[in-house]
Amino acid sequence: MTGADALIQTAVAAGIDVCFANPGTTEIPLVQAIDNSHEMRAVLGLFEGVCTGAADGYARMSDKTALTLLHLGPGFANGIAYLHDARRARSSVINLIGEHATWHIPADPPLHSDIESLAAPVSHWVRRNKGAEFLASDMADAATAAQIFPGRTASLILPNDYLLAETTAKYELPSRVAPPSVDHSAILQAAKLLRENQPSALFLGGYALRARGLRAAARIAAVTNCELICESFPTRLERGAGLPTLKRLPYFPEAGRKLLAPFGAIVLVGARNPVTFFGYPDSPSYFISPEQKNSVLATPEEDIATALEALADELGAPANVGNFAELIRPEIPQGQLTPEKFTAVVSALQPEGAIIMEEGISSVAHYFVQSGGAPQHSYLSQSGGAIGLGLPCATGAAIACPDRPVITLQSDGAAMYTLQSLWTQAREGLNVTTLICNNRRYQILEIELKRAGIKEAGKKARTMIDLDKPEINFVQLSQGLGVPAVRVNTAEALAAELQKALHEDGPHLIEMML
Amino acid sequence: MTGADALIQTAVAAGIDVCFANPGTTEIPLVQAIDNSHEMRAVLGLFEGVCTGAADGYARMSDKTALTLLHLGPGFANGIAYLHDARRARSSVINLIGEHATWHIPADPPLHSDIESLAAPVSHWVRRNKGAEFLASDMADAATAAQIFPGRTASLILPNDYLLAETTAKYELPSRVAPPSVDHSAILQAAKLLRENQPSALFLGGYALRARGLRAAARIAAVTNCELICESFPTRLERGAGLPTLKRLPYFPEAGRKLLAPFGAIVLVGARNPVTFFGYPDSPSYFISPEQKNSVLATPEEDIATALEALADELGAPANVGNFAELIRPEIPQGQLTPEKFTAVVSALQPEGAIIMEEGISSVAHYFVQSGGAPQHSYLSQSGGAIGLGLPCATGAAIACPDRPVITLQSDGAAMYTLQSLWTQAREGLNVTTLICNNRRYQILEIELKRAGIKEAGKKARTMIDLDKPEINFVQLSQGLGVPAVRVNTAEALAAELQKALHEDGPHLIEMML
């Protein structure tokens, strides 16, 4: 058995059985070890960002640990952006990063670089393997690190000579650690704040946005009349008919502060104290003002659902409450597509159990409200802000949940970062429907220029905003990557094509001219 | 004047007038400053790797400093791979990396990360700006650092609040420093080695591969009968009819050592002691054996051309020698395309002054020899090994040399890393012809598996090697990005399409089924 075999066998023993891979020469022993393994599945990405973004999506939807296989420093670097997102999403991801043979590194070969320095900013845990006999234990330690609730990113740097060397060393996996319980004082404090400060709100994130946490939150709302508000960019929010309704914190500081302003107290549950995405002049970093009382019921890494249930009990909430969303869908609109009509069509047609990956940037403002009464679905968004997560994250989500349809609401500019994901969707026959919002510009930059007081962007500024010269044809791009595609201009055409795509197996792309 | 204006004005004063940009919200002040500048040109990339790869190509062909404009840590991370290549190529590149407003960073907003840790492995010089009043001097220092001969990578981290703040601070640019001269003892030692050890070789890299250095090397060869050999992956090699002929060090260790084995002495000129790309078991790191004598005439950062001329004079070489390549082109072959026929067609048709960007990986083995007698051309290759450099590097080369045709010899797998480059080529109307070697696999992995003793890749290993399910259609992809494209299967069709592409303005793509 090679060191690489020992590593892959340990990964399988830790419950890890999908590897999003883009290997090179130094990773050949791992390619061979995956080939030798019955359990490990390899999913090829044509670009490393596809692998890391898919790992994030897979981890979010499977609640398992995703593996990536990347080629040395530069290959890893191509995956950093979506590991940044995965770290912010608290997804459980382990990166297997190939490294030159140890004896070759002093010669500083062309592809050599400081992998630790690249890995540190996006990894909770980084280790360089020191020999074949440690590959099993290093993998086990990486799994332990990555499986700290709700999930962490771990990076393992793997010299080629150690991967190739024979070893018999195995390693007993420690049992998985449950998330720490919340101290009872936090429950009492939250109860006090909610009782004594009206109106109040629960600000929910992370695992608070799964069904169990949401049901407990609804119990709390039923007795305290508190508002339920979720993070601007939830990692995974379970929602739709039969689940509690909540509001989402708006992206821009003014709107966000306006939503939160009425509340005398805000209790944070599985969410950080919310921070504006960017720092704007004369606008503070935090949404919650210093005059507002707040407390932390549970951090994102504590046992959030149990804490919410304990708080509901403490408040004397009944076990069953009725304040859940009803099945109400918008009508399918007619005529020339607009952003609002596009999201109305999706809200009207998305099937039960759909996974919605949203990276629509400026084109999806209305979706969240329109889809609140759609059948139950999982809603994923871009937790870390690294543009281009939509397509790969949807790809990984579809690998995790082959029986659920995935719909990606995708802006055109962001789609162009990791369009290669479509090829992996075709290769794996994934049920993903990608809806491209083609508005032929980085509209968010246009908005931000206006916010910065620039009424009309100059000619050269426009060359950095407009995407219309040449126009990108997403139908051709999609077909070139093996995914059937169609372009639509009207709401009725979108409705017809979306229904068709959802009824046919395999991936589809619909380009919407907005 | 904002700090951003001061920075851009200083860049222009340092002779920097092209910025490869993919800005975001934090970089809005720089977008505005570029808009305010008459001299600075902005070239938009749809992905940051396009920007950094183009910066590398631009620097190589203009001998000027290229600017990139990137969005925070994750945006910068997407550009790291080709900054790795630029660092290895010793290209002069300055990265302007946006950063959150200083007062916002303690709140750890979603896009915050440790930019210094990401930048260090690919930057000779990194600085975080400390205030608007230092933006001019920071830019000047970055230019000084990036312009150390032959070129370095510098990264400047730019907090948004300082970019926005008003400043009057200017900065006098220091005059550019000439590369250090070679010590006369190095010339004497090289002369002695070449005279006393027959046969001998000059191993040439970096600026030794420009016309002036090559002509001096030919004079040395004329009197010592030494072989002229260049690095496996030259940054920029001037070659073709009327220039000295040289051999190239093969990629694989066995072939490389076989080429070098006969030489009793090898003199390194502007090149590092050559190292194998990867470390293979039972194969040393260095190509030159410990039994072979070697000396360094000039390091890559010294005044290489002057050193070569001094060595030629020391050896009493005549001023004019005749050992230059003659104009000899292969016949245009007929029939089903093969890698050898494809490169014969290119060698037969490439025009005078062409810039050849080669990232053909396993499909271009014959090109170097076949094109040795083509009209004078510049040959660029992938100095750092980060896959996908071909298309963006060609894009930057075309921006640097609008009057010269650029031909990219591009493997299919590597093309898929940064295909977005085609859109920038269309947007800027660049005269680039991209030849895609579509062999529907990562052939280099197949070769490396065989080298590792695995006769037949297993089923799962093949899922990480084959690119045929689904087949990638580069014609559709290219058209989708605004570049006219055609697919060819025969040598005569390639010849016809290549001639057509070279005669029409703007970019073209030819997909070759190999």
Side-chain angles (χ1 to χ4, degrees):
Chain A
M1 178 168 78
T2 66
D5 288 320
L7 181 148
I8 294 297
Q9 287 179 18
T10 310
V12 169
I16 303 168
D17 53 12
V18 175
C19 179
F20 298 95
N22 186 277
T25 298
T26 36
E27 293 75 53
I28 291 279
L30 285 163
V31 169
Q32 195 55 25
I34 291 171
D35 205 49
N36 293 340
S37 160
H38 288 292
E39 296 85 357
M40 185 64 71
R41 173 178 178 187
V43 176
L44 181 62
L46 294 176
F47 174 72
E48 293 85 351
V50 176
C51 301
T52 55
D56 184 12
Y58 175 86
R60 294 191 199 190
M61 289 311 303
S62 68
D63 290 327
K64 290 169 66 177
T65 301
L67 218 53
T68 71
L69 173 54
L70 306 168
H71 182 45
L72 298 161
F76 175 76
N78 281 334
I80 286 174
Y82 308 122
L83 292 171
H84 174 92
D85 282 337
R87 183 176 71 92
R88 291 290 184 184
R90 299 173 199 278
S91 291
S92 182
V93 176
I94 298 173
N95 305 300
L96 306 179
I97 310 169
E99 172 60 295
H100 286 292
T102 51
W103 51 266
H104 194 48
I105 291 174
D108 188 25
L111 273 166
H112 177 60
S113 65
D114 181 349
I115 301 176
E116 278 89 343
S117 187
L118 294 172
V122 290
S123 308
H124 293 94
W125 182 99
V126 182
R127 183 179 295 171
R128 173 175 290 263
N129 168 258
K130 301 287 184 196
E133 67 273 29
F134 304 116
L135 279 164
S137 56
D138 283 348
M139 183 68 225
D141 290 349
T144 301
Q147 292 172 352
I148 292 173
F149 179 83
R152 293 193 179 184
T153 50
S155 294
L156 201 41
I157 302 166
L158 300 164
N160 174 269
D161 49 341
Y162 297 152
L163 290 173
L164 274 175
E166 291 291 314
T167 181
T168 54
K170 295 206 171 192
Y171 194 79
E172 281 295 305
L173 282 159
S175 55
R176 202 159 163 170
V177 179
S181 300
V182 161
D183 195 86
H184 196 66
S185 65
I187 293 161
L188 294 180
Q189 194 194 354
K192 187 172 183 314
L193 273 190
L194 294 178
R195 276 201 200 102
E196 296 180 2
N197 298 276
Q198 293 289 333
S200 62
L202 291 185
F203 186 74
L204 306 158
Y207 261 65
L209 303 179
R210 304 295 182 90
R212 189 181 148 208
L214 289 170
R215 291 206 177 93
R219 290 175 59 207
I220 296 163
V223 286
T224 64
N225 209 23
C226 70
E227 187 81 71
L228 303 182
I229 301 171
C230 76
E231 293 176 318
S232 303
F233 296 97
T235 296
R236 176 177 164 189
L237 166 63
E238 301 300 331
R239 66 194 298 264
L243 283 174
T245 304
L246 31 69
K247 291 187 174 159
R248 184 171 57 161
L249 184 69
Y251 172 82
F252 283 115
E254 304 78 11
R257 262 189 278 280
K258 194 175 161 196
L259 174 67
L260 296 186
F263 304 113
I266 298 171
V267 174
L268 304 172
V269 192
R272 299 168 58 209
N273 191 350
V275 170
T276 65
F277 220 80
F278 295 108
Y280 298 97
D282 308 319
S283 171
S285 291
Y286 291 93
F287 281 97
I288 299 176
S289 84
E291 286 76 46
Q292 289 175 294
K293 289 178 188 154
N294 67 79
S295 77
V296 176
L297 173 67
T299 70
E301 301 196 328
E302 290 177 322
D303 186 351
I304 295 161
T306 304
L308 279 165
E309 288 166 354
L311 176 58
D313 292 344
E314 175 66 32
L315 290 162
N320 292 302
V321 292
N323 49 350
F324 293 165
E326 287 177 33
L327 185 69
I328 306 172
R329 308 240 217 180
E331 297 273 304
I332 295 177
Q334 300 284 310
Q336 186 65 32
L337 262 182
T338 61
E340 190 168 358
K341 288 184 193 172
F342 132 59
T343 48
V345 171
V346 176
S347 305
L349 295 175
Q350 64 180 73
E352 173 93 35
I355 299 166
I356 306 292
M357 174 67 216
E358 190 263 284
E359 197 190 24
I361 317 280
S362 61
S363 298
V364 292
H366 301 277
Y367 175 73
F368 197 81
V369 170
Q370 288 168 331
S371 61
Q376 278 191 31
H377 58 281
S378 300
Y379 172 86
L380 317 180
S381 69
Q382 204 214 38
S383 309
I387 294 288
L389 179 68
L391 298 183
C393 190
T395 305
I399 299 260
C401 303
D403 300 329
R404 297 178 60 179
V406 179
I407 300 174
T408 313
L409 314 181
Q410 182 64 56
S411 81
D412 52 354
M416 288 310 301
Y417 285 72
T418 45
L419 198 75
Q420 305 94 329
S421 308
L422 294 173
W423 184 83
T424 299
Q425 293 178 8
R427 186 176 185 83
E428 303 290 331
L430 305 179
N431 293 322
V432 182
T433 301
T434 303
L435 301 176
I436 299 283
C437 311
N438 190 344
N439 63 14
R440 297 167 293 287
R441 78 197 84 150
Y442 290 131
Q443 192 166 28
I444 188 73
L445 280 187
E446 202 167 56
I447 296 167
E448 293 285 7
L449 266 174
K450 287 209 178 103
R451 288 177 58 86
I454 297 148
K455 276 184 197 145
E456 184 105 35
K459 205 171 166 184
K460 234 183 292 185
R462 286 232 71 92
T463 68
M464 287 178 270
I465 295 171
D466 291 333
L467 302 179
D468 58 345
K469 286 173 200 158
E471 277 197 18
I472 298 169
N473 185 316
F474 282 92
V475 172
Q476 286 176 310
L477 290 174
S478 183
Q479 290 171 346
L481 294 167
V483 173
V486 66
R487 177 180 279 193
V488 298
N489 292 288
T490 65
E492 48 271 40
L494 172 60
E497 294 296 339
L498 178 56
Q499 282 178 304
K500 202 171 129 194
L502 290 168
H503 282 87
E504 277 177 16
D505 272 343
H508 295 79
L509 181 140
I510 303 171
E511 180 182 30
M512 303 176 296
M513 305 310 280
L514 298 178
Chain B
M1 179 168 75
T2 66
D5 287 321
L7 181 149
I8 294 298
Q9 287 180 17
T10 308
V12 169
I16 304 168
D17 53 11
V18 176
C19 179
F20 298 95
N22 187 276
T25 298
T26 35
E27 294 74 53
I28 290 279
L30 285 163
V31 169
Q32 195 55 26
I34 290 172
D35 205 48
N36 293 340
S37 159
H38 287 291
E39 296 85 358
M40 185 63 72
R41 174 179 177 186
V43 177
L44 181 63
L46 294 176
F47 174 71
E48 294 86 349
V50 176
C51 300
T52 55
D56 184 11
Y58 174 86
R60 293 191 199 191
M61 289 311 303
S62 68
D63 290 327
K64 288 168 68 175
T65 301
L67 218 53
T68 72
L69 172 55
L70 306 168
H71 182 45
L72 297 162
F76 176 76
N78 280 335
I80 287 174
Y82 309 121
L83 292 171
H84 175 92
D85 282 337
R87 183 175 71 93
R88 291 290 183 185
R90 299 174 201 277
S91 292
S92 182
V93 176
I94 298 173
N95 305 300
L96 306 179
I97 310 169
E99 172 61 295
H100 285 294
T102 51
W103 53 265
H104 194 48
I105 291 174
D108 189 25
L111 273 165
H112 178 60
S113 66
D114 182 349
I115 300 176
E116 277 88 344
S117 188
L118 295 172
V122 290
S123 308
H124 293 93
W125 183 98
V126 182
R127 183 178 295 170
R128 174 176 289 264
N129 167 258
K130 301 287 186 197
E133 66 274 29
F134 304 116
L135 280 164
S137 56
D138 282 348
M139 183 68 224
D141 290 350
T144 300
Q147 292 173 350
I148 291 173
F149 180 84
R152 294 194 178 183
T153 49
S155 295
L156 200 42
I157 302 166
L158 301 164
N160 174 268
D161 49 341
Y162 298 153
L163 290 173
L164 274 175
E166 292 291 315
T167 181
T168 53
K170 295 205 170 192
Y171 194 78
E172 280 296 303
L173 282 160
S175 54
R176 203 160 164 169
V177 179
S181 299
V182 161
D183 195 87
H184 196 64
S185 64
I187 293 161
L188 294 179
Q189 195 193 354
K192 187 171 182 316
L193 273 190
L194 294 177
R195 276 200 199 100
E196 296 179 3
N197 298 276
Q198 293 290 331
S200 62
L202 291 185
F203 186 73
L204 306 157
Y207 261 64
L209 302 179
R210 304 294 182 91
R212 189 180 150 208
L214 289 170
R215 291 207 176 94
R219 290 174 59 206
I220 296 163
V223 286
T224 63
N225 210 24
C226 69
E227 187 81 71
L228 303 182
I229 301 171
C230 76
E231 293 176 317
S232 302
F233 295 98
T235 295
R236 174 175 164 189
L237 165 62
E238 301 299 331
R239 66 194 298 263
L243 283 174
T245 303
L246 31 69
K247 292 187 172 159
R248 184 171 57 161
L249 184 70
Y251 172 82
F252 283 115
E254 305 78 11
R257 263 191 279 279
K258 195 175 160 194
L259 175 68
L260 296 186
F263 304 113
I266 297 171
V267 174
L268 303 173
V269 192
R272 298 169 57 209
N273 191 350
V275 170
T276 65
F277 219 80
F278 295 108
Y280 298 97
D282 309 317
S283 172
S285 290
Y286 291 92
F287 281 97
I288 298 177
S289 84
E291 288 76 47
Q292 290 175 293
K293 290 179 186 152
N294 68 77
S295 77
V296 176
L297 174 67
T299 70
E301 300 196 328
E302 291 177 321
D303 185 353
I304 295 161
T306 303
L308 278 164
E309 287 168 353
L311 177 58
D313 292 343
E314 175 67 31
L315 290 163
N320 293 302
V321 292
N323 50 350
F324 294 165
E326 286 176 33
L327 185 69
I328 306 171
R329 309 241 215 177
E331 296 273 305
I332 295 177
Q334 300 285 309
Q336 186 66 33
L337 261 184
T338 61
E340 190 168 358
K341 287 184 194 172
F342 132 57
T343 49
V345 171
V346 176
S347 305
L349 296 176
Q350 64 181 73
E352 172 93 34
I355 299 166
I356 306 292
M357 173 69 217
E358 191 263 282
E359 197 190 25
I361 318 280
S362 61
S363 297
V364 290
H366 301 279
Y367 174 73
F368 198 81
V369 169
Q370 289 169 330
S371 61
Q376 279 191 31
H377 59 281
S378 300
Y379 173 85
L380 316 181
S381 69
Q382 205 213 37
S383 309
I387 295 287
L389 179 67
L391 299 184
C393 190
T395 305
I399 299 260
C401 303
D403 299 330
R404 298 178 61 178
V406 179
I407 301 173
T408 314
L409 314 181
Q410 182 64 55
S411 80
D412 52 353
M416 288 310 300
Y417 285 72
T418 43
L419 198 75
Q420 305 94 330
S421 307
L422 295 174
W423 183 83
T424 299
Q425 293 178 9
R427 186 177 186 81
E428 303 289 331
L430 305 179
N431 293 320
V432 182
T433 302
T434 303
L435 301 176
I436 299 283
C437 312
N438 190 345
N439 63 13
R440 297 167 294 286
R441 79 198 82 151
Y442 291 130
Q443 192 165 27
I444 188 72
L445 280 187
E446 201 167 57
I447 295 167
E448 294 284 7
L449 266 173
K450 287 209 177 103
R451 289 176 57 87
I454 297 148
K455 277 182 197 147
E456 185 104 35
K459 205 171 164 183
K460 233 183 294 184
R462 286 233 71 94
T463 68
M464 287 178 269
I465 294 171
D466 291 334
L467 303 180
D468 58 346
K469 284 173 200 158
E471 279 197 18
I472 298 169
N473 185 316
F474 282 92
V475 172
Q476 286 175 309
L477 290 175
S478 183
Q479 290 172 345
L481 294 167
V483 173
V486 65
R487 178 180 278 193
V488 298
N489 292 288
T490 65
E492 47 273 38
L494 172 60
E497 293 296 341
L498 178 56
Q499 282 178 303
K500 203 172 128 193
L502 290 169
H503 281 90
E504 276 176 17
D505 272 342
H508 295 79
L509 181 141
I510 303 171
E511 180 181 29
M512 304 176 297
M513 305 309 280
L514 298 177

